[in-house]
Amino acid sequence: IQTGIDTTNKEIAITEGELIHQIRSVLRLSVGNHIIVADGIESEAEIEIIQESKTEVRGVVIARRAQEAPLHSFHIYVSTRSE
């Protein structure tokens, strides 16, 4: 999950509503599950969820690593046809 959150902290709090919805409702993750969050620039962190609510998901950092460059890049184009 790309968050823009500072991954250098020992504990990370996710407060962005769409991300919380994705973690709790779409992925159905809860306390004890692990996720990888990226700062969107250069690093990512594996966190263990220690607390979750409708307004916040909080986790403790288990491991950190440099964010790898993607192996492939994709360009998606959508064409609409009007009649």
Side-chain angles (χ1 to χ4, degrees):
I1 295 175
Q2 192 160 344
T3 61
I5 293 174
D6 182 2
T7 57
T8 61
N9 294 332
K10 197 169 194 151
E11 198 171 286
I12 294 175
I14 298 170
T15 56
E16 186 180 321
E18 187 62 33
L19 287 176
I20 294 168
H21 169 74
Q22 187 177 15
I23 292 167
R24 296 181 77 228
S25 302
V26 177
L27 299 173
R28 298 183 182 266
L29 300 175
S30 59
V31 173
N33 290 128
H34 290 207
I35 60 173
I36 295 174
V37 297
D39 65 6
I41 301 170
E42 61 184 29
S43 66
E44 57 188 30
E46 178 182 349
I47 66 168
E48 179 180 341
I49 298 172
I50 58 172
Q51 182 182 14
E52 52 99 10
S53 69
K54 289 182 179 182
T55 59
E56 181 179 72
V57 173
R58 186 171 289 278
V60 63
V61 174
I62 304 298
R64 286 185 186 83
R65 58 187 158 266
Q67 204 169 344
E68 297 179 17
L71 297 175
H72 304 282
S73 76
F74 295 91
H75 300 279
I76 299 173
Y77 298 94
V78 176
S79 174
T80 59
R81 184 173 143 178
S82 52
E83 295 183 30

